[in-house]
Amino acid sequence: MSIENLSCNKSFGGWHKQYSHYSNTLNCAMRFAIYLPPQALSGAKVPALYWLSGLTCSDENFMQKAGAQRIAAELGMAIIAPDTSPRGDEVADNDGYDLGKGAGFYVNATQAPWNRHYQMYDYVLNELPALVESMFPVSDQRSIAGHSMGGHGALVLALRNPQRYRSVSAFSPISNPVNCPWGKKALSAYLGIDSAGWADYDASLLMRQASQCVPARVDQGEADDFLSAQLKPDTLEAAATFSGYPLELNRHEGYDHSYYFIASFIEQHLRFHARHLGQY
């Protein structure tokens, strides 16, 4: 595979790098960022945390705002952040911020015109890890995390593929998209109006019927403007109680939906993943 280095910045003894490559899964050029900790610079393979961002974001938001590099350098963990959707003039879009570019929802679209490019589920699950593990000193020991729409994506990917991930975490995830405005708009467009086909992308429904488990942590701000209408953490918590799923759900008074919230608790998330990745 051919990739192009777009930027390179030294950080806490490691390197943050941004790359572009052509995605056969998405039929367009894609961008991703990777943080390689100091332990990877000698060629030793390090485990990886895949981070999925939320609506309107790209690979840059988390890498620039979360302050994750310091702890990742200490723990010897790579961080890989893909974009949130396909991009390019030929890619279908919508005037709203919650559908189209910047709003891929980490699903495999089945409906035209979205199905030509919007296959983010397969991209994150298969193509991107294959590329990263072939081009960088990164092992196949993976964890996954995300925020909001990306929290939804991380939970869905882990719940459907427990053999692929050691752990999963999310900040303020869209926990029950089949029953919230964001989810209904996106899933009906990408998957069709028959809501029976949406269940494969709903973390609460998947967790309720899970037979295999990936250790899961979710953090939710109690001052989040989207808490009751869009995020519905109570539904996820009820699903975990029903199935006995190992979910740690932490609620934080006064915190909102922003990167101030993520930056406040990202260290705890990275240490959670490091334990399950065998880093300490």
Side-chain angles (χ1 to χ4, degrees):
M1 299 183 190
S2 175
I3 64 174
E4 178 186 358
N5 181 226
L6 303 176
S7 67
C8 186
N9 304 93
K10 194 162 188 179
S11 179
F12 294 98
W15 289 93
H16 168 272
K17 299 184 179 185
Q18 191 180 57
Y19 288 91
S20 174
H21 75 105
Y22 186 84
S23 167
N24 291 316
T25 301
L26 303 176
N27 296 306
C28 65
M30 282 296 286
R31 196 174 70 189
F32 70 92
I34 183 169
Y35 176 70
L36 292 170
Q39 296 86 339
L41 303 186
S42 64
K45 289 193 173 185
V46 297
L49 176 67
Y50 288 80
W51 173 270
L52 307 183
S53 287
L55 290 168
T56 75
C57 293
S58 70
D59 61 289
E60 295 182 336
N61 299 73
F62 177 79
M63 290 301 206
Q64 295 180 6
K65 294 181 178 181
Q69 290 88 347
R70 178 178 64 85
I71 302 303
E74 174 194 327
L75 298 173
M77 179 190 302
I79 300 176
I80 297 98
D83 204 344
T84 54
S85 77
R87 304 280 182 173
D89 293 340
E90 74 282 9
V91 174
D93 199 9
N94 182 272
D95 290 339
Y97 73 94
D98 51 357
L99 182 67
K101 295 176 186 177
F105 268 83
Y106 305 100
V107 305
N108 285 340
T110 60
Q111 304 298 301
W114 312 103
N115 56 347
R116 182 163 181 260
H117 298 286
Y118 286 77
Q119 306 294 316
M120 287 296 294
Y121 178 90
D122 279 352
Y123 176 73
V124 173
L125 180 65
N126 295 314
E127 186 178 19
L128 183 59
L131 171 63
V132 167
E133 290 162 21
S134 69
M135 301 292 291
F136 301 97
V138 172
S139 76
D140 62 1
Q141 303 304 301
R142 312 175 196 94
S143 290
I144 191 165
H147 172 230
S148 194
M149 177 187 72
H152 138 79
L155 288 167
V156 166
L157 280 153
L159 287 162
R160 289 178 58 178
N161 303 278
Q163 74 286 355
R164 295 277 287 178
Y165 301 104
R166 295 291 189 91
S167 53
V168 58
S169 74
F171 288 88
S172 317
I174 304 172
S175 297
N176 188 210
V178 305
N179 288 315
C180 78
W182 279 340
K184 289 178 180 180
K185 179 177 180 178
L187 296 178
S188 61
Y190 294 140
L191 304 177
I193 60 173
D194 183 0
S195 60
W198 302 356
D200 284 345
Y201 296 103
D202 187 292
S204 293
L205 298 179
L206 292 168
M207 189 170 285
R208 186 176 179 85
Q209 62 187 20
S211 58
Q212 292 181 271
C213 298
V214 177
R217 171 175 177 150
V218 169
D219 283 68
Q220 176 63 60
E222 292 287 86
D224 193 317
D225 289 341
F226 306 113
L227 181 60
S228 58
Q230 302 283 13
L231 306 180
K232 301 184 180 298
D234 292 346
T235 307
L236 188 69
E237 190 170 44
T241 299
F242 178 85
S243 64
Y245 202 92
L247 170 68
E248 174 190 345
L249 198 157
N250 305 294
R251 302 172 188 269
H252 302 278
E253 183 180 356
Y255 286 91
D256 58 17
H257 200 71
S258 71
Y259 267 84
Y260 295 107
F261 174 44
I262 295 172
S264 297
F265 296 98
I266 190 61
E267 178 173 349
Q268 289 92 322
H269 279 241
L270 293 183
R271 294 193 185 282
F272 166 80
H273 291 298
R275 288 194 298 272
H276 294 289
L277 289 164
Q279 293 304 93
Y280 71 92

